[in-house]
Amino acid sequence: MDKLSNPQKTIEVLKKYQFNFQKKFGQNFLIDAHVLDKIIQAAEITREDFVLEIGPGIGTLTQYLAEAAGQVTAVEIDGHLIPILEDTLSAYDNVTVINQDVLKLDINQLAMEKNGGKPIKVVANLPYYITTPIIMGLFESGVPLKSLTVMVQKEVAERMQARPGGKDYGALSLAVQYYAEPYLAANVPPNCFMPRPNVGSAVIRLTRYETPPVAVKDEHLMFGIIRAAFNQRRKTLVNALANASELSMTKEQVLAALEALGYSKTIRGEALSLKEFAELANYFAKE
Ligand code: SAM
């Protein structure tokens, strides 16, 4: 089987199997060899790596991964793609395909079975409708991870790597940056996919920290504060936190905390860095 990474070969395979794209599964297949090379380079794949691919489609990226990695497991929800993958990946003896919804897969167990519990790399051209649950699920479930190198919607990539103050900065930036260091590897235009998505895309690598960059006594409380701060981002932090039903803080308590930490009374959440949110959460955890 020739490489799939061009429009002719992709069309040939789709026709052979009379495959119909399913919009509900976010199916936009890569057809650009340059972008595929970029993903492999950004993920720094070597023969030492066990790679989990989420959503292999017809196997375009899987072929590149199989050639660079030690072992690859690819998880695909759409049963119609399984016979196609058997065909397109038949030349590789280091690839396993699992027909399942990745959100229901026990990835901790997979990493244990396939990689002896050592950190794995996740590489994917993600289905955009579940980008955030996939990424946050991987971080929060404590799967041993070296890095995640993923194609996502361009604006989501921008939010993940945004710094305080800008319009893209928010709860997603802080959640991602608590667990990983983001690196934007490439911007990818719609014509690199079949069918073309309506949005621009980007490849982002998230390298998992061994320990978070800030020390937090109560992670649940910190993320509660962050959510409350950005739920009402036009309000001052004092009002946003005092109004939040998931927190039990009075206006006076928040004002006292801001004063103790040396922040302005009128500060908004979008001005606070991860370190500052951690300090604020630690202040309340102490109380
Ligand atoms: N990797 C292929 C490529 O780059 O050409 C296909 C990428 S396409 C954007 C996303 C893939 O994820 C599709 O094959 C889709 O069927 C699959 N998918 C969607 N939801 C999924 C889920 N919950 N679990 C596993 N795979 C899923």
Side-chain angles (χ1 to χ4, degrees), residues 154-254:
K154 185 166 181 276
E155 66 173 38
V156 174
E158 280 160 2
R159 279 161 50 203
M160 286 182 188
Q161 60 155 14
R163 296 287 165 189
K167 69 171 177 27
D168 295 327
Y169 185 63
L172 181 66
S173 326
L174 288 154
V176 164
Q177 292 168 31
Y178 179 66
Y179 293 104
E181 187 187 348
Y183 161 71
L184 189 84
N187 284 317
V188 182
N191 63 5
C192 295
F193 302 85
M194 186 182 291
R196 292 181 186 197
N198 302 325
V199 292
S201 302
V203 178
I204 191 162
R205 182 184 68 214
L206 305 173
T207 307
R208 180 79 153 99
Y209 292 124
E210 282 180 23
T211 46
V214 293
V216 180
K217 290 181 191 157
D218 181 346
E219 283 179 11
H220 182 74
L221 174 63
M222 181 178 77
F223 284 115
I225 291 176
I226 288 172
R227 266 194 305 278
F230 288 99
N231 263 344
Q232 300 189 306
R233 67 186 292 154
R234 287 173 178 277
K235 294 211 164 135
T236 60
L237 188 63
V238 174
N239 286 332
L241 300 193
N243 288 342
S245 54
E246 76 167 300
L247 304 171
S248 49
M249 295 168 186
T250 63
K251 202 167 174 170
E252 290 66 36
Q253 285 172 321
V254 182

Side-chain angles (χ1 to χ4, degrees), residues 4 21 42 48 66 87 92 98-99 109 115 120 129 134 138 202 205-206 210 215 226 228-229 237 241 251 260 265 274:
L4 294 162
F21 287 102
E48 304 295 305
D87 182 3
Y92 305 99
I98 301 176
N99 182 197
Q109 190 186 334
N115 206 36
I120 65 170
Y129 73 107
I134 290 176
L138 282 164
R205 182 184 68 214
L206 305 173
E210 282 180 23
I226 288 172
L237 188 63
L241 300 193
K251 202 167 174 170
K265 279 184 210 166
L274 175 62

Side-chain angles (χ1 to χ4, degrees), residues 89-106:
L89 302 174
S90 60
Y92 305 99
D93 61 6
N94 59 346
V95 181
T96 309
V97 175
I98 301 176
N99 182 197
Q100 206 181 320
D101 176 349
V102 71
L103 294 176
K104 296 191 178 138
L105 184 70
D106 185 341

Side-chain angles (χ1 to χ4, degrees), residues 25-30 53 55-57 60-61 75-78 81 100-102 125-127 129-130:
F25 289 145
Q27 293 176 337
N28 300 94
F29 298 163
L30 273 166
E53 187 193 1
T60 313
L61 174 58
V75 187
E76 174 55 59
I77 197 170
D78 185 353
L81 289 165
Q100 206 181 320
D101 176 349
V102 71
N125 169 16
L126 286 177
Y129 73 107
I130 44 171

Side-chain angles (χ1 to χ4, degrees), residues 103-119:
L103 294 176
K104 296 191 178 138
L105 184 70
D106 185 341
I107 301 174
N108 266 304
Q109 190 186 334
L110 182 83
M112 186 51 81
E113 280 170 14
K114 297 273 189 182
N115 206 36
K118 294 196 302 292

